[in-house]
Every structure is written in C-alpha cells, then in structure tokens.
Amino acid sequence: MSDTTSEPFTAAVTLSPAQAEHFDLAFTAVTQPCPWPKAYGGDLVAQAAAAAMRSVDDGKTLHSMHSYFMRPAEIGKEVRYEVELLRDGRGYATRQVRGYQNGKPLYVCLANFAAGEPGASYHCEAPELVGPDELPASAEYLADLTGGTMTPGSKAYWSTGRSFDMRHVPGPVYLTVEGARVPHQAVWVKPFDALRPVDGLTDAQRDAAALAYVCDYTILEPVLRVLGLHWAQEGLVTASLDHAMWFHRALPPGAVDGWLLYAQQADAAGAGRGLGSGRFFTPDGTHLATVVQEGMIRAGRG
C-alpha cells in the first residue's frame, strides 16, 4: 500500500450488516489505526452517517447530523451501529444511530434526510486565500520538526496517515502555533488518491461520508490557535464532545476527489471546552456544508 492513500477512510466506512439487537437495523465497522490512546472521532461520525444512509432507500439525501460522543472508542476494534427508523415522510426522514463497543454505548446521533424541492438559493462567500499549490503538504512541513510530545508515529500519521492531504492557512499548529494567535484558520483538503467505491453506498453517499470523516481532524484547531496551544504540547488532552453538520446542497460528482477549502473559526472557549465552526467550499466558492463542534480542551504546561 502506498504511504499516501485514502484507503483508511474507505475502509472505515465499509460496513457489514449485522443482526439488530436494540433497534431496526444494525451494521458493524472497525475504527482505523492512529497513534493516540483512542480512536479518531471522525471514524464514528462517518460510520454512523454511512449506517444511516444505508437505511434510507427512497432518494432522500442526508442534510443534517447531530452527534454526541459519550465514551472513547478502542482503536482497531469493531463498533456496532444500531439504526432506529424514527420517521419516513414524503419530504423528510429521520434516523437515530447508536454506536456500541464492548456492550456499552459510546456514540449517538440523529440524522435527517430530505427529498429536496424547488426554492430560492443563497450561500455565504468563501474567503479569498492562497491556493493549495502554494502551500506545503503536512509531510513537507513536518519533515525536520521534533519536540514536545511529537513521536515518529504521530509525525507519520499527521503526514500521510489521515487519508487526506491538508494544507493550512496561515500555517499548522502541530509543534508551534504557526502564524498569529487569531481565532480563525483555513485548511485545503483533498484525498491522497481518488476515493474507492464503498459497498452499500453510492458515490454521492460516500462523498458525504468523506466530509463527515475529515471535518473532525482540524475543527478544534482555531480554538487551540487563539489560546496559543499546539498538538504536541506537553499535557494537552482533547476530545470531541458533540458535533453538528449540515449539508446544504448536493455534492458535485467528483468534488471530494479534488481540493476543498475548509474555513474555520473559534467561537468560544472556557471551562475546559472549546467551540469551533467550519464551512466547506468548492474552489469556485460554492458553500457545500457547515460544521460546529464542541470539544474538551485540557491544556498542560508547555
């Protein structure tokens, strides 16, 4: 396998049907490797999105998800997703998804689907920023950096292990806060190679799951940036608490295989928590999706 591949994402959202124990449908999925004590939260969001999408077969598309993370998930272990079919209407459908591991619930979300209908359209403007070809890839940026809690494993993961190339404006917060301590940043994201087909999902559903997957990696970084914190800081502990995502319009075919701009800002910080929000834009400025996430932030002494 190439070091730069999007396969960890497609492996994460490849679900296996299972016998339902609590609700109407069930699937299992496996969390992907990462160098931390707990699995990546985006695995859970994307897997739950895939499970919910596989339960809707009448042409409706996912337009929103609202999630809570209750327990950390073990890395490389199976998670069981139980789907409750709460409502199927003509225009909208609603699902509840609960993730279980070792017999305990660790994640829950509500997902809503819409058939779509004619109506007026508006979207906010994308910021004008330097393009991705003028920015260093994470592997290039990290090549000569050492210090803090950075290990060869974390450096390799940040460089090539996350399925997506990520290029920061004004700069990343891996070992230092690159750039000013401002409450905003942007990240250009693109899979390392074209996304593979995923059994049980259409390409459009797989692409929606891809945004749900990649959005969690950097959404708290504007909060870290404005607080002067970085990922390799001694004693820093973060965890996703809750997450909301809205898909505003259909993803153009192939859009997720190219560069997307993920513009982010810090909205609040205090009491050991931080709130970040972000918006995904195509290179031509079309606003595709919005994300809001609150996370636990426990800052050690640098």
Side-chain angles (χ1 to χ4, degrees):
M1 184 191 305
S2 168
D3 285 340
T4 51
T5 174
S6 62
E7 190 170 2
F9 157 69
T10 47
V13 295
T14 298
L15 310 183
S16 299
Q19 186 67 36
E21 296 179 0
H22 303 283
F23 296 128
D24 299 296
L25 297 170
F27 302 91
T28 60
V30 177
T31 56
Q32 297 302 294
C34 66
W36 324 123
K38 57 184 182 297
Y40 167 53
D43 276 4
L44 305 183
V45 178
Q47 289 167 353
M53 287 188 286
R54 289 183 61 164
S55 75
V56 177
D57 58 6
D58 60 358
K60 297 183 182 73
T61 59
L62 179 65
H63 78 83
S64 67
M65 292 181 67
H66 298 264
S67 307
Y68 282 91
F69 302 84
M70 297 178 287
R71 292 181 174 89
E74 293 185 44
I75 298 168
K77 301 291 186 180
E78 188 176 272
V79 180
R80 178 188 189 84
Y81 293 93
E82 294 264 353
V83 183
E84 183 178 14
L85 313 184
L86 291 177
R87 181 177 184 269
D88 282 297
R90 285 182 297 177
Y92 293 88
T94 306
R95 302 290 186 260
Q96 179 184 197
V97 183
R98 289 190 188 181
Y100 297 85
Q101 195 177 69
N102 300 322
K104 296 180 179 180
L106 51 80
Y107 170 90
V108 62
C109 84
L110 289 174
N112 218 45
F113 295 78
E117 56 189 86
S121 180
Y122 164 80
H123 63 80
C124 61
E125 294 185 2
E128 294 186 8
L129 298 169
V130 62
D133 293 338
E134 301 178 54
L135 298 168
S138 293
E140 180 182 354
Y141 179 84
L142 287 163
D144 298 321
L145 291 183
T146 58
T149 62
M150 183 182 294
T151 65
S154 61
K155 181 185 288 192
Y157 184 69
W158 283 327
S159 297
T160 62
R162 300 185 289 181
S163 293
F164 286 77
D165 190 349
M166 302 182 199
R167 305 188 180 191
H168 287 69
V169 183
V173 292
Y174 296 127
L175 186 60
T176 62
V177 176
E178 183 76 14
R181 284 178 53 172
V182 292
H184 55 80
Q185 68 170 29
V187 186
W188 288 98
V189 298
K190 183 179 76 169
F192 285 122
D193 54 11
L195 298 180
R196 296 152 180 78
V198 174
D199 288 345
L201 297 180
T202 67
D203 287 353
Q205 290 173 329
R206 176 207 59 201
D207 289 354
L211 291 191
Y213 173 87
V214 73
C215 73
D216 189 30
Y217 276 121
T218 57
I219 189 61
L220 291 181
E221 287 185 351
V223 182
L224 298 184
R225 180 181 299 279
V226 77
L227 296 178
L229 304 173
H230 56 81
W231 288 119
Q233 182 144 335
E234 295 284 351
L236 177 67
V237 179
T238 66
S240 301
L241 297 174
D242 56 76
H243 177 282
M245 188 168 192
W246 294 266
F247 298 86
H248 304 302
R249 47 192 43 84
L251 302 179
V256 178
D257 282 330
W259 288 110
L260 295 176
L261 180 65
Y262 190 17
Q264 306 164 338
Q265 69 178 37
D267 295 300
R273 302 187 306 276
L275 184 73
S277 59
R279 294 174 173 85
F280 282 100
F281 296 92
T282 62
D284 68 3
T286 302
H287 181 200
L288 297 177
T290 298
V291 181
V292 178
Q293 180 164 302
E294 188 176 44
M296 180 190 77
I297 298 177
R298 292 175 179 164
R301 295 180 178 177

